[in-house]
Amino acid sequence: MVERKLLVLFGSQTGTAQDTAERIGREAKRRHFQCRVEALDSYDVANLINELLVVFVCATTGQGDPPDNMKMFWRFLFRKNLPPGSLCQLDYTVLGLGDSSYPKFNFVAKKLHKRVLQLGGNPLLPVALGDDQHDLGPDAVVDPWLLALWDKILALYPLPPGLEIISPDIRLPPKYTLHYLAEDSPHPDGGLLQLTAPRALPSEVHPFAARVVSNQRVTAESHFQDVRLIEFDVTGSGITFSAGDVVMIQPQNCPEDVQQFCQLLRLDPDRHFVLTPTEPGTSLPALLPQPCTIRHLVTHYLDISCVPRRSFFELLSYFSTNELEREKLQEFSSAQGQEELYSYCNRPRRTTLEALWDFPHTTCAIPPEYLLDLIPRIRPRAFSIASSMLAHPDRIQILMAVVRYKTRLSKPRRGLCSTWLASLNPEQGDVRVPLWVKKGGMKFPADPDTPVIMIGPGTGVAPFRAAIQERVAQGCRGNCLFFGCRQKSKDFYCQAEWEELVTKGFLMLFTAFSRDQEEKVYVQHRIQENRRLVWELLSSGSAHVYLAG
């Protein structure tokens, strides 16, 4: 009897590919497969030669780039010295998730499919290309593809005699079991961020708890947008970076939302618990201490402010004791109900917490151990670093617009991370933010004589502030900046700093204030007016041009 094992590997940036991979994992369990679902970079790629059946689910980011959690796998797979037949025993299929409004639509999935084929893999189906631009989103492709996939897989690996596909009416067990600790048992306080010197360089799994030094609003009080220049102290972290790099920040939910969530689900925020995996081989969530309090879980881990996905409503429907609520939840998780789900959730940007309010009978019946299956983890947010270590040693600064906008819902929508960061007041004591640094996509010229043309409207100027500070510290003078905003008096970030550098001869500055006169003026108008200078820098100075928005 052939072992019925399936491996689902995903590369995910925003969580959609992971969500889809977990859906495939659930469907595999209903068909009695031993199934593992893993991020591509958590999987030991050297074992791929021993796998018989793999489903790859991968997103494409930026200009055809692989997501962060599959970069190592990607580099390994494209090594020139891999023998052509090394994956000849592998049956595989690739599902891509992309956005057809980008030129390199689903580039990663197409390239992965081709590479595994080159290495001798046997494709079960043509590569499937999910598209965010479709009215029903990627599910328009995923749903029919999954039906075809199970036909293929069950032909190769039929159900064992006497077993049937587990009915969709039956709830699968949770990924983890949650054991509450007795009220009086001693608890090591795992909930606090480790403020001791980290062992390794800070990373997603071991972020550095950086102290907030300052948090200053850089737009006029009368301006519609609140933009902050925030400074963090990273002394002793071992963090180094250069212009163009990115700081990753792990945000948290606000206390009011945490309290509401606990009340809705009738959870005691101060109860301690430990998690154990339901199946051997499942690893525990890396970012959760053991033991942990419900408050820590909800504050730092569960993304209760994200817009819930279809899988959320599907799992929620199993807990429903109320017929009306259950019917609505089942509709939202069906293929036919996707347009309605889009109008309910995605268009108005309704949060998970708000959706739970709308299903009160179901919400109070959610078993706590299913929380980690139901709600994804809070993802880190990326910010361009807006300062240079040469100008500000042991400091990281970011320029951040606070996200706030209206939809048809009465309450304004707020960005989780920017709202949290804006609320931090370093004058009220020792305020810490978990962060680490990643290489960015922008590299500035090593030769100090190469001029640089930077086009950075709005907060897009952040990486250029880092570059200018770095280049000025190195004595480079060929710095040309085109900056645009609405009004000189309201959102001209870092005005004094730029003007001082112009006076000292380190910077050529061209500004476009779109609302300061009758006709709107943007950075492209300033580039056109200064076309001779721009051409001069490009043709005889071999200038590098950078654009950030």
Side-chain angles (χ1 to χ4, degrees):
M1 178 74 197
V2 194
E3 254 198 315
R4 300 175 80 253
K5 278 168 83 169
L6 169 65
L7 175 64
V8 183
L9 294 173
F10 65 85
S12 186
Q13 195 72 21
T14 60
T16 311
Q18 180 174 352
D19 185 67
T20 307
E22 283 166 355
R23 174 183 172 186
I24 297 166
R26 289 191 297 275
E27 293 197 6
K29 289 199 172 99
R30 293 193 182 277
R31 288 157 180 80
H32 304 280
F33 279 89
Q34 265 181 284
C35 182
R36 279 174 30 234
V37 179
E38 278 191 60
L40 278 153
D41 276 356
S42 315
Y43 172 73
D44 182 357
V45 64
N47 288 337
L48 203 57
I49 55 166
N50 307 315
E51 302 291 351
L52 299 178
L53 183 58
V54 177
V55 175
F56 296 97
V57 184
C58 48
T60 296
T61 67
Q63 304 302 314
D65 303 313
D68 290 337
N69 65 2
M70 69 177 279
K71 288 206 158 113
M72 290 171 347
F73 171 86
W74 197 244
R75 276 199 294 273
F76 179 88
L77 199 68
F78 284 91
R79 283 191 359 200
K80 297 273 190 289
N81 59 357
L82 297 181
S86 46
L87 298 179
C88 59
Q89 80 312 331
L90 175 70
D91 288 321
Y92 77 98
T93 183
V94 177
L95 167 63
L97 299 173
D99 183 322
S100 58
S101 66
Y102 284 80
K104 293 202 168 176
F105 172 54
N106 265 316
F107 184 72
V108 171
K110 293 171 189 168
K111 205 167 164 187
L112 174 63
H113 179 79
K114 211 164 144 186
R115 180 60 174 153
V116 177
L117 191 60
Q118 269 180 358
L119 295 171
N122 168 46
L124 296 173
L125 292 169
V127 59
L129 308 175
D131 184 7
D132 252 353
Q133 291 296 318
H134 192 285
D135 290 346
L136 302 177
D139 283 351
V141 166
V142 177
D143 290 355
W145 173 81
L146 266 174
L147 293 171
L149 178 66
W150 291 123
D151 281 350
K152 289 274 187 193
I153 289 178
L154 288 174
L156 291 171
Y157 298 90
L159 285 165
L163 284 181
E164 306 244 320
I165 293 176
I166 299 168
S167 151
D169 305 334
I170 294 169
R171 176 170 95 199
L172 291 172
K175 205 190 268 184
Y176 306 104
T177 346
L178 183 145
H179 307 276
Y180 280 123
L181 301 181
E183 298 284 352
D184 51 3
S185 62
H187 315 296
D189 193 4
L192 288 172
L193 266 169
Q194 263 52 71
L195 301 181
T196 50
R199 297 159 302 295
L201 215 52
S203 64
E204 184 159 4
V205 186
H206 297 289
F208 178 72
R211 185 173 64 83
V212 180
V213 179
S214 61
N215 179 354
Q216 128 204 28
R217 179 170 172 144
V218 290
T219 43
E221 286 301 330
S222 59
H223 190 58
F224 76 101
Q225 195 170 37
D226 180 356
V227 176
R228 303 298 178 99
L229 182 66
I230 305 177
E231 181 170 76
F232 305 99
D233 183 351
V234 292
T235 307
S237 65
I239 285 176
T240 58
F241 59 88
S242 43
D245 287 348
V246 167
V247 62
M248 304 298 293
I249 292 179
Q250 185 64 44
Q252 61 185 56
N253 291 309
C254 70
E256 302 80 64
D257 285 358
V258 173
Q259 188 184 349
Q260 264 190 24
F261 181 86
C262 291
Q263 281 171 350
L264 268 176
L265 276 83
R266 303 179 182 173
L267 295 168
D268 173 0
D270 298 315
R271 280 301 293 274
H272 285 75
F273 66 87
V274 288
L275 291 175
T276 50
T278 311
E279 288 186 9
T282 307
S283 52
L284 289 167
L287 297 161
L288 274 185
Q290 290 261 53
C292 182
T293 63
I294 293 287
R295 189 189 312 279
H296 184 92
L297 171 73
V298 183
T299 304
H300 298 281
Y301 194 83
L302 299 179
D303 196 354
I304 59 176
S305 77
C306 71
V307 176
R309 300 176 190 272
R310 174 178 168 181
S311 57
F312 167 86
F313 295 97
E314 186 186 333
L315 183 52
L316 206 52
S317 68
Y318 288 106
F319 312 128
S320 196
T321 49
N322 175 287
E323 200 177 333
L324 241 107
E325 288 188 9
R326 186 170 55 247
E327 278 176 11
K328 194 71 196 165
L329 291 164
Q330 284 169 343
E331 185 188 339
F332 279 162
S333 50
S334 71
Q336 303 75 33
Q338 288 316 289
E339 278 186 54
E340 195 166 339
L341 177 61
Y342 189 84
S343 323
Y344 170 72
C345 258
N346 303 65
R347 198 167 287 125
R349 309 303 294 165
R350 194 183 301 273
T351 69
T352 295
L353 182 58
E354 288 168 330
L356 290 170
W357 272 108
D358 286 347
F359 295 91
H361 298 92
T362 309
T363 296
C364 64
I366 297 171
E369 53 261 32
Y370 276 96
L371 285 175
L372 286 104
D373 294 78
L374 190 63
I375 301 172
R377 71 175 177 87
I378 299 174
R379 300 203 161 250
R381 306 317 202 242
F383 294 92
S384 291
I385 297 175
S387 59
S388 163
M389 296 193 93
L390 301 180
H392 302 275
D394 291 324
R395 295 282 194 267
I396 287 179
Q397 295 179 357
I398 61 170
L399 189 65
M400 175 197 80
V402 182
V403 177
R404 188 172 188 267
Y405 57 96
K406 283 288 292 172
T407 65
R408 65 178 168 79
L409 301 178
S410 59
K411 215 174 143 190
R413 309 291 88 196
R414 292 175 183 276
L416 172 67
C417 189
S418 61
T419 304
W420 171 60
L421 287 175
S423 75
L424 301 176
N425 182 356
E427 285 160 23
Q428 290 176 349
D430 191 22
V431 184
R432 303 265 172 174
V433 167
L435 55 75
W436 63 100
V437 162
K438 247 177 44 178
K439 275 272 152 262
M442 271 189 207
K443 301 270 179 293
F444 290 89
D447 177 359
D449 294 330
T450 305
V452 171
I453 299 169
M454 295 161 281
I455 306 151
T459 52
V461 79
F464 303 139
R465 183 171 180 261
I468 291 166
Q469 286 182 0
E470 196 165 279
R471 287 171 60 81
V472 167
Q474 292 161 344
C476 310
R477 286 182 180 269
N479 305 307
C480 174
L481 174 66
F482 288 90
F483 174 76
C485 65
R486 289 198 171 201
Q487 290 163 298
K488 183 175 183 176
S489 61
K490 294 196 171 166
D491 55 340
F492 187 3
Y493 316 131
C494 315
Q495 178 180 357
E497 191 176 329
W498 304 138
E499 288 171 351
E500 187 187 343
L501 291 173
V502 171
T503 309
K504 290 182 173 169
F506 280 109
L507 181 66
M508 288 178 277
L509 175 68
F510 302 98
T511 53
F513 305 114
S514 63
R515 306 293 196 278
D516 274 350
Q517 59 286 306
E518 271 298 292
E519 70 296 345
K520 294 197 172 81
V521 176
Y522 296 114
V523 284
Q524 59 268 35
H525 299 121
R526 295 291 182 237
I527 293 169
Q528 204 172 8
E529 287 165 17
N530 294 281
R531 55 189 177 272
R532 284 207 174 77
L533 167 73
V534 171
W535 175 243
E536 174 67 22
L537 290 170
L538 286 171
S539 56
S540 53
S542 311
H544 291 201
V545 181
Y546 299 85
L547 174 68

